[in-house]
Structures are given as C-alpha cells and as structure tokens.
Amino acid sequence: MKLHWSPRSPFVRKVMVALHETGLADRVECVRTVVAMDAPNGELMRDNPLSKLPTLVLDDGQPLFDSRVICEYLDGLQAGAKLFPADPAARFQALRWQALGDGLLDLLILWRYERARAPEARSTPNLVAFTAKAAVTLARLETEAAALMAAPFGIGQITIAVALGYLDFRFADFPWRKGRPALAEWFDGVAARPSMAMTVPEDD
C-alpha cells in the first residue's frame, strides 16, 4: 500500500499512529507529498481529487481517504485489539471522541491559517471564535480525561492525542495545559507510547 504522507499533517499522524498500533507500518510505503490550501497537487489529485492528506492507495490501486476511513480500513486488516470497538456502546463512545478530536483539529488548522494572514487581513471575529471553541472543547476533554484513561486505547484516544500534540506543535503560545491537569496528565502518558513517540510532527 502507498500512503501520501507529510511529517507536518496531524491527520497523517493519526494514520501513522494507527499503523504502528496495529502492527501494519511495514506494509505501507510512505510517499512525501506536499499540499497547500491554495495550491492543488496535480499528482496527488490522480489519487484524491480533493488534493488532501492523508490518502492511502491500496495494492489494487483503489484510493481511500480521509483519516477516519483509512484508520477503520487498517483496523479491519489486523487481528489484535481493535481500535474501533465492536460493542455498540464502546464503539459510539470511541467515534464520539474521534469526532471531537477531528473537529478540534479542523478548527486549529483554520485558526492557524487565520493567524498567518497579514495583521490587517485577519478576521477578529474568527480569531475570537476559534479561541472560544478550542477552550470549550478542552474544558470538555478535561472532564472526560478519566474516561479516556479507563477505556481501552483506540481511535478516540488516538485522535484526541494527535490534536493535543498539534497544539504543542503549532500553538506553543496557547497554554492548553493550564487549568486542565487531568487532561495534561493523560496526554503525557499517551505521548510516551511508541506509536506517538515515533510520529512526533516536524517541519522539514
């Protein structure tokens, strides 16, 4: 299989963590692929018309996207502990956490683009809204840190951990740990897992 990959993308990191957790990392060739919101990648668009990462190309040439679909597909290839639980209650808890983590990542990426604009072009209402949404999301996660710790490690924990890691990577000036000791403790424990330690984002 071929994975269109970037060391900076949090959604790619989510897939990479899943690959390591399922023991499938050696079955995937990572292909460095550059994407930008304002510059579609023609080569990538042959596999993914949206020109977005991650994109997984199967051995038969069939492409899969996005990270949610790719992670669930990979989970189906392995016989170990599942990242997507079979029990309905546990599954929807995991999917809810995944949606919360993915949503946080979506807003962080938009927030970063807004902050990168020239000062005179930035939207103050957008910046205020992004800050408020991130703060409320983190407050919710603080209340759920014990549940995250107690549940078997799976797709929900992966997604939330990747989102918190992206905060450290791109929002070093945003003190997300302040006032959220349970969430910070949970994240520090998860960040020590080999799958997380091997996929720390970096600029290249």
Side-chain angles (χ1 to χ4, degrees):
M1 294 180 286
K2 178 180 74 174
L3 178 69
H4 288 285
W5 171 92
S6 166
R8 298 182 295 223
S9 165
F11 291 107
V12 168
R13 186 186 188 192
K14 177 182 167 184
V15 170
M16 293 302 301
V17 172
L19 280 167
H20 287 295
E21 290 288 338
T22 56
L24 298 172
D26 61 352
R27 291 182 55 180
V28 173
E29 174 194 2
C30 293
V31 178
R32 181 68 173 93
T33 306
V34 178
V35 300
M37 187 176 293
D38 57 353
N41 182 316
E43 184 175 351
L44 173 60
M45 291 172 76
R46 296 191 189 101
D47 293 322
N48 183 344
L50 298 172
S51 188
K52 293 179 71 175
L53 299 177
T55 297
L56 180 70
V57 182
L58 306 184
D59 292 336
D60 64 1
Q62 176 72 22
L64 294 180
F65 33 85
D66 56 6
S67 66
R68 291 166 291 191
V69 174
I70 294 171
C71 287
E72 189 156 7
Y73 174 79
L74 294 171
D75 200 34
L77 297 181
Q78 59 108 8
K82 294 296 185 180
L83 302 179
F84 292 78
D87 174 75
R91 176 177 176 80
F92 281 102
Q93 174 72 297
L95 293 179
R96 186 177 69 83
W97 280 334
Q98 178 180 221
L100 196 57
D102 280 342
L104 178 57
L105 280 173
D106 285 337
L107 82 85
L108 291 176
I109 290 169
L110 291 174
W111 190 5
R112 180 169 178 261
Y113 274 112
E114 193 67 50
R115 299 205 316 179
R117 294 176 184 270
E120 65 275 10
R122 293 174 191 160
S123 166
T124 297
N126 280 348
L127 291 171
V128 171
F130 293 146
T131 303
K133 290 177 183 180
V136 173
T137 301
L138 290 165
R140 170 64 66 87
L141 290 173
E142 171 69 12
T143 69
E144 299 195 27
L148 285 164
M149 188 177 299
F153 190 77
I155 194 61
Q157 290 92 337
I158 289 172
T159 312
I160 289 169
V162 167
L164 297 178
Y166 191 73
L167 276 169
D168 283 344
F169 180 48
R170 292 301 192 198
F171 293 82
D173 58 331
F174 183 67
W176 70 263
R177 290 173 174 81
K178 185 177 180 180
R180 305 178 186 99
L183 184 61
E185 180 182 2
W186 172 80
F187 174 72
D188 289 343
V190 170
R193 293 178 74 93
S195 62
M196 291 289 291
M198 289 187 290
T199 59
V200 174
E202 58 182 27
D203 284 311
D204 63 347

